[in-house]
Amino acid sequence: MNDTRGANETGALRLGTRRSRLAMAQSGQVAEAVTRVTGRPVELVEITTYGDTSREQLAQIGGTGVFVTALRDALLKGEVDFAVHSLKDLPTAQPDDLVVAAVPVREDPRDVIVARDALKFTDLPSGARIGTGSPRRMAQLNSYARSHGLDIATVPIRGNVDTRIGYVRGGELDAVVLAAAGLNRIGRGDEVTDFLSVDTVLPAPGQGALAIECAAENADLVAALAELDDPFTRVAVTAERSLLAALEAGCSAPVGALADLLADGQIVKEMRLRAVVGTTDGTRMVQLSTTGPVPETYDGAMALGRELAAEMLAQGAAGLMGERAH
């Protein structure tokens, strides 16, 4: 273990980030916020992860953790002081020596379409080719199309935002599905041609949220970063990720989940957790929801996710996920 961690309490904090444009953008935004609450400058340390270099489909390379492991290794070696992850990429099992010190306010969790000719999803022509690397998106888009008499073909793709949108601009695909949060964070929200309602496509557990992680032993930094935590976002994503863990599914599995906070005026009264599991062709789906008081503790949020997962498993969800990740 590197014993220089925390030795320079006034120098720059080192933020470990993936090299992608999106990762750099969201890490830069977190860096500014950390400087505001700590008064210390933050320097970005770029780290290449296996998920960035592999050209395989995420479902083939294991999905879970492929963007995270190298960042966590750098944290544990003391090469960086903290790291920023897209929460939907984070494995549900948390290492004992690392802590998610903050989950800031969530961006828009919805999926969006970027389509040719500014088309909406339901206006795409018969036989439209829609690109996505996500089994979750494929399952729900195919299910919606099947139940609404639409003829679409989902095409597996990988690559950064430029690459994906390039398939549409170049005429190879009619549309691609992306996360609203990612496009917003890199200033490209104006390229969205349609927002997919969460009633049509539930997002990935934790989508739109970030996790700020650091070494558990660095108590001062944990406390400082905690000022960026949004308790409502944290309780929502905790419930979503608890459901994912209870299904024993990785982040590349066809599982969608979203916890909504239901407000009466300005008062948040209840939380609704919705989830879906389906085969990628959309022929078989298990979709359930539960509503109750907003959990006041971490354990309460975990229990909510586990309970809904148990109901889904009782309805055959396990058989729809392909190989289950352990």
Side-chain angles (χ1 to χ4, degrees):
M1 186 67 71
N2 187 326
D3 62 6
T4 61
R5 183 186 291 133
N8 184 351
E9 297 300 340
T10 57
L13 289 164
R14 298 159 302 166
L15 189 172
T17 177
R18 290 172 55 203
R19 296 171 183 264
S20 73
R21 183 179 171 197
L22 173 56
M24 294 291 286
Q26 60 197 28
S27 293
Q29 290 157 12
V30 169
E32 291 174 12
V34 170
T35 296
R36 281 199 303 274
V37 299
T38 64
R40 294 172 65 179
V42 175
E43 61 183 38
L44 300 188
V45 178
E46 297 177 25
I47 294 169
T48 301
T49 72
Y50 181 66
D52 294 316
T53 56
S54 172
R55 296 270 56 86
E56 297 169 85
Q57 292 297 320
L58 288 187
Q60 265 78 59
I61 59 176
T64 308
V66 296
F67 295 122
V68 173
T69 304
L71 290 171
R72 284 182 159 171
D73 287 347
L75 271 176
L76 292 171
K77 292 174 185 171
E79 295 167 357
V80 297
D81 298 301
F82 66 107
V84 175
H85 310 284
S86 291
L87 195 59
K88 70 176 182 179
D89 294 334
L90 209 59
T92 52
Q94 182 66 26
D96 292 338
D97 38 12
L98 297 176
V99 62
V100 175
V103 179
V105 174
R106 190 179 208 165
E107 247 283 8
D108 189 334
R110 290 176 295 177
D111 282 324
V112 296
I113 291 276
V114 177
R116 63 177 177 84
D117 307 322
L119 292 171
K120 305 287 187 194
F121 173 50
T122 50
D123 295 332
L124 288 168
S126 180
R129 290 163 52 80
I130 303 174
T132 172
S134 160
R136 169 189 62 81
R137 288 170 173 153
M138 287 184 180
Q140 294 182 84
L141 288 172
N142 286 325
S143 174
Y144 182 89
R146 188 177 296 274
S147 62
H148 289 76
L150 302 176
D151 176 26
I152 64 167
T154 51
V155 180
I157 57 170
R158 278 208 62 194
N160 61 26
V161 170
D162 283 325
T163 300
R164 294 179 189 221
I165 292 178
Y167 290 130
V168 177
R169 304 283 184 252
E172 295 163 73
L173 296 173
D174 295 290
V176 289
V177 190
L178 299 162
L183 289 175
N184 289 343
R185 287 190 178 115
I186 61 173
R188 295 181 66 171
D190 57 348
E191 295 181 52
V192 172
T193 62
D194 199 13
F195 287 87
L196 295 173
S197 162
V198 294
D199 296 324
T200 302
V201 178
L202 279 171
Q207 184 161 308
L210 300 177
I212 305 176
E213 189 172 51
C214 67
E217 68 180 20
N218 197 342
D220 289 345
L221 184 57
V222 172
L225 295 174
E227 292 192 43
L228 301 179
D229 192 64
D230 177 62
F232 284 135
T233 299
R234 185 179 280 262
V235 77
V237 299
T238 297
E240 293 164 18
R241 285 165 56 75
S242 168
L243 175 130
L244 185 67
L247 291 174
E248 295 185 356
C251 59
S252 63
V255 178
L258 182 66
D260 289 310
L261 295 167
L262 306 177
D264 180 6
Q266 295 297 305
I267 310 298
V268 174
K269 294 281 192 176
E270 291 184 308
M271 191 165 82
R272 172 182 53 185
L273 177 62
R274 289 180 279 180
V276 63
V277 175
T279 55
T280 50
D281 64 2
T283 55
R284 294 184 296 149
M285 309 288 282
V286 172
Q287 184 154 5
L288 292 173
S289 69
T290 184
T291 302
V294 179
E296 295 185 1
T297 63
Y298 172 83
D299 288 344
M302 291 290 288
L304 189 70
R306 280 196 300 269
E307 287 160 13
L308 189 59
E311 290 181 39
M312 296 179 78
L313 290 170
Q315 294 197 16
L320 309 186
M321 291 188 290
E323 193 170 320
R324 300 169 84 191
H326 289 275

